[in-house]
Amino acid sequence: MASRNSSTFSVLGSDLMVKGDIKASADLHIDGSVEGDIACTSLVQGETSDVTGAIKAESARLAGTVTGSITARELVILKTAKIDGDVFYDALTIEQGAQVEGRFAHRDAKKAAQAGTATQPQAGAKPELSVAN
């Protein structure tokens, strides 16, 4: 049995299909299919992977298909990723070509919404877009 302080990781191979929630204290690499929620420190999802459920991780690098919400401190969405769900993040990188159907929100906005202090946009108000220089 590995100690909690050692650097360990778990791999779910492409031939593996898991039904149920996964909670890992180690880093997790998924190439197979998962039907259930995933909670781990660091997640790497392969291009052939399919996840149906919520993902919560400190860092996540997604390249496959995800159907469900994603919450991560550091999130990288690669060009092969197809995501259908809301995304909550602290730091976000999206490669050109990635497909996302859902809303993006900084995690501070999610906390405010849960506390009931988020302001709702007025009807007919247009969203604001700012471009970094």
Side-chain angles (χ1 to χ4, degrees):
M1 187 165 163
S3 120
R4 279 193 165 308
N5 294 335
S6 68
S7 179
T8 61
F9 67 94
S10 298
V11 177
L12 299 179
S14 60
D15 63 332
L16 190 62
M17 201 278 201
V18 175
K19 285 189 178 187
D21 296 345
I22 297 174
K23 185 174 183 180
S25 57
D27 297 345
L28 186 59
H29 184 107
I30 298 176
D31 284 322
S33 297
V34 176
E35 287 184 23
D37 297 343
I38 299 171
C40 61
T41 305
S42 178
L43 174 67
V44 175
Q45 180 194 34
E47 289 183 26
T48 61
S49 175
D50 183 16
V51 174
T52 302
I55 295 174
K56 290 184 181 180
E58 283 296 308
S59 67
R61 185 175 183 87
L62 307 176
T65 302
V66 177
T67 304
S69 67
I70 300 165
T71 303
R73 187 172 50 80
E74 295 179 23
L75 178 61
V76 177
I77 302 174
L78 301 175
K79 64 183 176 184
T80 56
K82 293 181 179 92
I83 297 172
D84 186 5
D86 294 342
V87 178
F88 304 96
Y89 63 91
D90 285 351
L92 176 66
T93 303
I94 304 175
E95 286 187 350
Q96 184 174 350
Q99 298 175 25
V100 180
E101 294 292 331
R103 295 176 294 178
F104 287 93
H106 195 269
R107 286 197 328 176
D108 287 343
K110 180 182 178 188
K111 289 176 189 173
Q114 288 174 342
T117 59
T119 59
Q120 296 296 323
Q122 295 178 350
K126 293 185 179 182
E128 295 182 30
L129 177 65
S130 61
V131 179
N133 292 330

